Amino acid sequence: MKELQDIIATYTKLKHSNETFALATIVKVAGSTYRRAGARMLMTAKGEMVGSLSGGCLEGDVLEQGQEVMSSGKYRLVTYDTTSEADIIWGLGMGCQGIVDVFIEPLSGEKGVDLMSFFADCLQHRQPGVLVTVFRSQAAEQYHLMLSPDGNFTTKITDNSLVQLLVDRAKKAQSSGKSFQISINNIEAFIEVIYPPLPLVIFGAGHDAIPVTSFAKQLGWYVTVLDCRPAYATSARFPEANSIVISEYEKLPKSVILDKKTVAVVMTHNYLYDLTILKNILPLSLRYLGILGPRRRTEKLLAEIPIDEQYKKRLYAPVGLDIGADNPQEIALAIIAEIQAVISNRSAGFLRHRNLPIHSQNNE
């Protein structure tokens, strides 16, 4: 999420400076790889790189490939097979035992504007868009189909039957929220969901909310800080917050959207404030709700709120992962890590205890 935001920002900053761009995207992986399909890197003719495709082992070669793409104006698909002994011959020496397909395309003229505008549009809405990239085909000079968050699509692919097939798959991805590859009718395509930033609402603008905001912004989340105290909820204290709202807790403003996409943390350090907030938001279908404070305190709060048990299942209290956190920065790390685990549907255990692959496969 943050990676795509940085790519858009760099492109927007440099697009009027006669700079030439290429965009490299991982469109397919097999075996063990550092990054999954959807990882991106923007390159310029001057050698600037924004984003990453690996732990640093692929970027140099991809930049060289990108320079040729920028020079020729023609896209190319490059496959890196680290299961082969040739990996050592190349001098990469990754030893990842995986195969990575990287699609490199020029971003000149309308192609760049259209693609970056689409990305920006997806990030500005609360609904995901879908980018379809046809990366292997017998025909295709035009290789993208873009399904906007509003359900409309644009493409320059002229094969109507192929367009309908891709639109159907794109809508499936948009509905499920999951990206995948397809191999059908002599084409291979990556159906990629472009997610909007995760909305995080922090109730309470105390000192320990500052590192929570900072960590969340490093992940590209959209952070709203809400407090009833004007002296606490200020842009000087929370320069990284997207939105700062001063409001009484009895009646939350409509500008603060609390729905099934929202994650929220209650950390006012005031029992009566927390009680009022929880009475308002517990009945809502939030994606995640964390409450800072000891277990007994939370149990006392919940005992004062007559509510069905099903709503309490979304509660995470005491908030955060058990990492031995003590100071505000460590506690913030524990909170953000727990939210990441929840939205990724992971248990947040040690990876050395995980028998399944670290990254899920995304083939249809």
Side-chain angles (χ1 to χ4, degrees), residues 201-215:
V201 178
I202 302 173
F203 291 93
H207 177 70
D208 52 355
I210 296 173
V212 176
T213 301
S214 181
F215 283 139

Side-chain angles (χ1 to χ4, degrees), residues 62-185:
V62 172
L63 178 59
E64 290 186 20
Q65 301 278 353
Q67 297 290 347
E68 295 181 21
V69 166
M70 285 182 267
S71 177
S72 68
K74 296 181 179 180
Y75 67 87
R76 65 175 55 181
L77 182 70
V78 184
T79 299
Y80 296 94
D81 185 352
T82 65
T83 65
S84 168
E85 291 298 324
D87 176 29
I88 299 175
I89 297 173
W90 294 341
L92 298 177
M94 289 183 285
C96 293
Q97 296 298 298
I99 301 173
V100 182
D101 283 339
V102 179
F103 186 75
I104 308 173
E105 57 189 301
L107 289 186
S108 57
E110 290 185 4
K111 286 184 179 179
V113 173
D114 289 347
L115 191 57
M116 289 299 165
S117 295
F118 171 73
F119 287 149
D121 186 51
C122 292
L123 297 187
Q124 290 169 5
H125 291 77
R126 291 179 65 84
Q127 295 293 332
V130 181
L131 176 66
V132 179
T133 303
V134 178
F135 58 91
R136 283 194 177 98
S137 171
Q138 293 180 348
E141 189 57 39
Q142 305 295 342
Y143 41 81
H144 283 312
L145 182 144
M146 304 173 195
L147 180 67
S148 297
D150 61 9
N152 294 318
F153 73 89
T154 58
T155 186
K156 293 182 180 179
I157 298 174
T158 57
D159 184 334
N160 290 332
S161 61
L162 176 59
V163 169
Q164 188 57 55
L165 182 150
L166 296 178
V167 169
D168 290 344
R169 295 300 196 279
K171 288 183 177 179
K172 175 182 177 181
Q174 190 176 47
S175 176
S176 68
K178 295 180 180 179
S179 304
F180 53 84
Q181 287 95 17
I182 61 170
S183 179
I184 190 170
N185 294 353

Side-chain angles (χ1 to χ4, degrees), residues 181-223:
Q181 287 95 17
I182 61 170
S183 179
I184 190 170
N185 294 353
N186 296 317
I187 69 156
E188 284 189 75
F190 179 36
I191 317 292
E192 180 188 8
V193 180
I194 308 297
Y195 300 97
L198 181 72
L200 166 64
V201 178
I202 302 173
F203 291 93
H207 177 70
D208 52 355
I210 296 173
V212 176
T213 301
S214 181
F215 283 139
K217 287 303 297 179
Q218 289 184 47
L219 296 177
W221 298 358
Y222 187 97
V223 181

